[in-house]
Amino acid sequence: MSTAILTGPPVAGSSLEADLRALGFDVRTASDPAAATELLAEAPAQERIAVVDPRFVGHLHALRLALTDPRFPAAAVPGALTVQPAARAALDRAAGRIPVGAGTAHLTDVLTDTLTEALDRADVGLHRVEPGSLVATLALTPAQREEAREAVAAVDEEAVRLRTAVKSRDGFFTTFFISPYSRYLARWCARRGLTPNQVTTASLITALIAAGCAATGTRGGFVAAGVLLLLSFVLDCTDGQLARYSLQYSTLGAWLDATFDRAKEYAYYAGLALGAARGGDDVWALALGAMILQTCRHVVDFAFNEGSEFEGGGGGAGPAVGLSDRLDRVGWTVWARRMIVLPIGERWAMIAVLTALTTPRIVFYALLVGCALAACYTTAGRVLRSRTRRARRTDRAARALADLADYGPLVELLTGGGRGRARTGSLLAPAMAFLSSAVLLVWVISQPDPASWLTVGVAVCSALLAAAALARPLKGALDWLVPPFFRAGEYLVVLVLAARADAHGALPAAFGLVAAVAYHHYDTVYRIRGGAGAPPRWLVRATGGYEGRILVVTVLAALLPATGFTIALTALAGVLALLVLAESIRFWVAAHNHGAPAVHDEGEPA
C-alpha cells in the first residue's frame, strides 16, 4: 500500500479522494501545510508517497501517469507529486526547509508546487509528466474548477489511454496490422488482472509451439507454424501495450521481453532447420547464418547507441542527420525507411507467410537477403553520421564499448586494461578489430583443411590484433564498429569450422554454441542499458572472452576428429549456456526483488 497525503480538506463535489484510493493509495488528509509535513515525516521510508492538492482537477489516467509510474524516482503534474523510496530523503529535506509564519503563504498555499521545485533543484531525476490531451490542472477558484471539469468531460479518456498504449515509433506492419486490435486485447488483459510478464511468457510458449510445428517437416505443420508465429507476435505487441496501458513496468519485465524475443526467433530458426532435415534438405548452415546476421545487426545497433554519448554534446548533427530530417518531413519516406530495416513485425510476417507457402530453404534465403540489405543500409548511415563528429566519446560510453567487445583474459593481459590515450579521429581500433576477424576468417575459408594447428597459430595472431584494437580507450568516431567486427568474426569462424568438419550434427552443435554466446552478448547490453554495468569480470573470464572462445574452438578442431569435434562443440555449448543463464537469471531476479528502477525499453532494435 502507498500513501497519499491531501494537503488540505477535500473540495466539495470532488472525486479526488476516491480516485486516489482506486489507484491503490491509502489517503490521509492534513488540515494545513504544517500537518502535511508531519504526515510526511510519519510515513514509512520504504513506501511510495504522493502529495496531492485537494484542488487538483483532471483525468484519472493523468493522475495515474503522475503517481504510479514505477520508472521514475519522482514525478509531478500541477497539484500532484509522488516520490519513490529512492527520493524520500530529498523530499523530507525539502519539506523540512519550508519556512512557517508570516510572509510564507506563497510557499505553502500550493505546497505541491513548492516541493516539486525543491526536488527539481535537488536533481533526483524528477519527471514532469506531459498529460497531452488529458487534463491535469490546479483549479484555485470556482470558475477555474468549472472550466477544468468541462475540459475533462470533453476528452475521451479511455480513447487516449488506448492510443498511448501503442508505441509511438513502430514498424508499418505492426502499426497498421497488429496494433489496431492488439490494444484492445491489452485492455482485456488489464481488466482481468493479467500482467505483462504473463503475456510475454504466453508469447514465448506460442512461438516454441510454432517451432515444434515447423520441426514436423509437413505442409500442415508449416502452415500451423506460420499462424502460431503471427499469434506469438500479436502477444508480443500486447505485453508492451499492457505495460503502457496499466503502467506495469519492471526491470524483470523489460529483460524478459527483450530476451524472449531473441529466444523465440532463434528457436523458430532451429525448428525450420529440423523440419527441413526431415524432408531431406540440410539448411542448418543457412539457419546459423541467419542467426549470425540478425545478431550482428543488433550488435551494430547496440554499439552505436551505447557509444553515442560525447563530451560537449557531440559536435553537431552533420549532413547525414540533416538529410534524414528532411526525409522525415515527407510522409511516405518515414514508413519506407522503417520497412527497409526489416523490423521485427515485417520480418516475422515474412517468415510466417513464407513458412506456410514455401520451404525452409526459401525462408532462410529471403531472411539472409533482406537482413543483409537492411544491415548495409543502417550501418552505412551510421558510418556517415559518425564521420562528421569531432567530439570525444565520454568515458562511460568508451567503457560500454569495451564491455560490448567482450574481451577475455588474454587480451586483458596484453593490454593491461587499455590505459592509453585515444585520438578522436583515429581509425586504429576498428581497423585492428576488422583485421583480427578477417585474417582468421579468410584463413579458415581458404584452407583445404582448416582443422589444423596452423589455424590455432592464426587464432593467436588474431588475439594479438584484438589486443591492439583494445589497447586504448574506444573514443574514436568509428570505434563503435569494434564490437560488431568481433562478433561477426567469432560467430562466422564457428560456422565455417563446423561446416568444414563434414560430420553429422556439427552445424546443429555450432548453432547451439553461437546461440549460447549470443545470449551472453545480449545480456551484457541489457545490463548496461539498465544502468547495472557489464556482467562481472569473473563471468567474462570464465566464458573465455572473444579471443579465448576462438582459441578453444580452433584447438578442439585441430585436436579431435570430426565426430569428436561435434561432441566437444555440443558440450561447450551446454556449459556456456548453463553458466551465462544461471548468472543472468540470478542477477535479474535479484535486481527485481531489490527494487531496481523499473525500465521499459522503447528502443529495442529490429
Side-chain angles (χ1 to χ4, degrees):
M1 177 68 73
S2 303
T3 300
I5 298 172
L6 288 176
T7 60
V11 175
S14 172
S15 64
L16 181 58
E17 193 169 347
D19 288 345
L20 290 171
R21 289 198 173 94
L23 295 177
F25 286 94
D26 177 22
V27 181
R28 301 182 184 182
T29 302
S31 58
D32 53 50
T37 58
E38 290 179 4
L39 289 176
L40 278 174
E42 295 171 1
Q46 69 274 16
E47 283 190 359
R48 172 189 285 271
I49 295 294
V51 183
V52 184
D53 193 299
R55 295 166 292 183
F56 173 87
V57 178
H59 289 99
L60 175 62
H61 192 55
L63 205 59
R64 180 183 289 109
L65 290 169
L67 302 184
T68 66
D69 195 326
R71 294 174 296 174
F72 310 106
V77 291
L81 165 73
T82 184
V83 298
Q84 295 202 64
R88 276 296 304 279
L91 178 64
D92 292 341
R93 287 193 299 271
R97 291 171 180 170
I98 296 177
V100 295
T104 63
H106 66 288
L107 295 174
T108 57
D109 181 52
V110 184
L111 183 62
T112 52
D113 288 359
T114 301
L115 293 174
T116 298
E117 293 300 326
L119 288 179
D120 207 0
R121 291 192 299 271
D123 194 23
V124 296
L126 176 73
H127 173 65
R128 293 184 181 269
V129 177
E130 294 291 341
S133 56
L134 297 175
V135 176
T137 189
L138 195 60
L140 301 179
T141 66
Q144 290 176 347
R145 179 169 296 278
E146 185 60 29
E147 182 181 354
R149 285 174 174 170
E150 291 176 0
V152 169
V155 176
D156 186 342
E157 177 181 13
E158 183 60 21
V160 173
R161 191 178 177 188
L162 279 171
R163 186 179 69 249
T164 54
V166 177
K167 190 186 295 185
S168 58
R169 287 180 57 86
D170 233 329
F172 180 85
F173 179 78
T174 305
T175 299
F176 294 103
F177 292 91
I178 304 296
S179 293
Y181 56 88
S182 62
R183 68 184 73 181
Y184 295 101
L185 179 58
R187 181 174 67 180
W188 183 90
C189 292
R191 291 178 175 176
R192 282 152 184 81
L194 297 177
T195 68
N197 290 352
Q198 290 170 334
V199 178
T200 301
T201 303
S203 175
L204 173 67
I205 293 172
T206 304
L208 293 179
I209 295 173
C213 291
T216 64
T218 64
R219 178 51 52 194
F222 288 147
V223 171
V227 172
L228 288 171
L229 187 64
L230 286 178
L231 176 58
S232 174
F233 182 64
V234 171
L235 293 173
D236 182 53
C237 295
T238 301
D239 64 4
Q241 291 164 359
L242 173 59
R244 286 181 285 272
Y245 181 86
S246 56
L247 301 185
Q248 295 184 72
Y249 302 111
S250 71
T251 298
L252 183 63
W255 172 68
L256 289 176
D257 183 50
T259 54
F260 281 9
D261 278 352
R262 308 286 81 81
K264 288 181 287 189
E265 185 166 1
Y266 298 162
Y268 193 82
Y269 291 178
L272 282 175
L274 288 170
R278 286 180 177 271
D281 190 12
D282 187 355
V283 297
W284 275 107
L286 296 177
L288 180 51
M291 182 170 68
I292 290 172
L293 180 54
Q294 187 58 30
T295 303
C296 288
R297 284 186 63 199
H298 286 161
V299 174
V300 168
D301 292 335
F302 295 145
F304 180 79
N305 291 331
E306 293 304 321
S308 294
E309 183 181 291
F310 292 87
E311 297 173 359
V321 177
L323 175 60
S324 177
D325 292 341
R326 288 194 296 274
L327 288 174
D328 281 344
R329 298 190 191 104
V330 183
W332 66 269
T333 64
V334 175
W335 295 114
R337 292 169 68 203
R338 292 186 190 179
M339 293 174 70
I340 287 173
V341 300
L342 203 63
I344 188 170
E346 278 76 357
R347 191 169 68 251
W348 283 28
M350 180 185 74
I351 294 171
V353 171
L354 291 179
T355 298
L357 300 180
T358 64
T359 65
R361 181 172 289 272
I362 293 176
V363 173
F364 286 124
Y365 281 152
L367 262 177
L368 289 167
V369 171
C371 289
L373 292 174
C376 291
Y377 170 77
T378 55
T379 305
R382 285 165 178 172
V383 169
L384 289 175
R385 288 174 183 243
S386 299
R387 290 299 298 155
T388 63
R389 294 191 182 275
R390 294 294 179 265
R392 282 171 59 86
R393 190 169 280 111
T394 63
D395 290 339
R396 191 217 64 83
R399 180 69 258 169
L401 291 181
D403 291 333
L404 291 176
D406 192 35
Y407 60 90
L410 180 56
V411 167
E412 190 175 13
L413 177 65
L414 292 171
T415 61
R419 288 186 290 270
R421 298 184 60 185
R423 291 185 302 169
T424 301
S426 173
L427 296 177
L428 178 64
M432 291 297 101
F434 173 78
L435 288 174
S436 173
S437 297
V439 165
L440 180 57
L441 189 57
V442 169
W443 174 269
V444 296
I445 291 174
S446 62
Q447 292 303 300
D449 182 15
S452 68
W453 292 105
L454 281 176
T455 301
V456 177
V458 176
V460 172
C461 294
S462 173
L464 294 175
L465 291 170
L470 296 168
R472 298 172 181 270
L474 298 178
K475 293 192 173 186
L478 292 176
D479 285 359
W480 58 269
L481 286 168
V482 170
F485 283 148
F486 284 166
R487 296 295 77 76
E490 178 182 0
Y491 298 157
L492 288 172
V493 165
V494 174
L495 167 60
V496 173
L497 287 176
R500 299 288 296 278
D502 195 25
H504 179 72
L507 280 168
F511 188 97
L513 176 59
V514 171
V517 176
Y519 176 85
H520 168 60
H521 293 144
Y522 281 117
D523 186 55
T524 299
V525 171
Y526 302 140
R527 293 192 194 213
I528 293 173
R529 284 188 169 184
R537 282 303 298 172
W538 71 261
L539 178 66
V540 177
R541 293 187 182 106
T543 60
Y546 151 75
E547 79 288 356
R549 289 187 296 270
I550 288 182
L551 282 170
V552 168
V553 171
T554 54
V555 167
L556 291 174
L559 190 63
L560 300 173
T563 303
F565 180 60
T566 299
I567 295 173
L569 284 183
T570 304
L572 184 59
V575 170
L576 286 177
L578 286 174
L579 187 63
V580 299
L581 276 172
E583 164 56 21
S584 176
I585 293 171
R586 182 209 63 77
F587 169 81
W588 288 104
V589 171
H592 178 75
N593 292 338
H594 294 159
V599 296
H600 188 77
D601 188 4
E602 299 287 0
E604 178 64 23

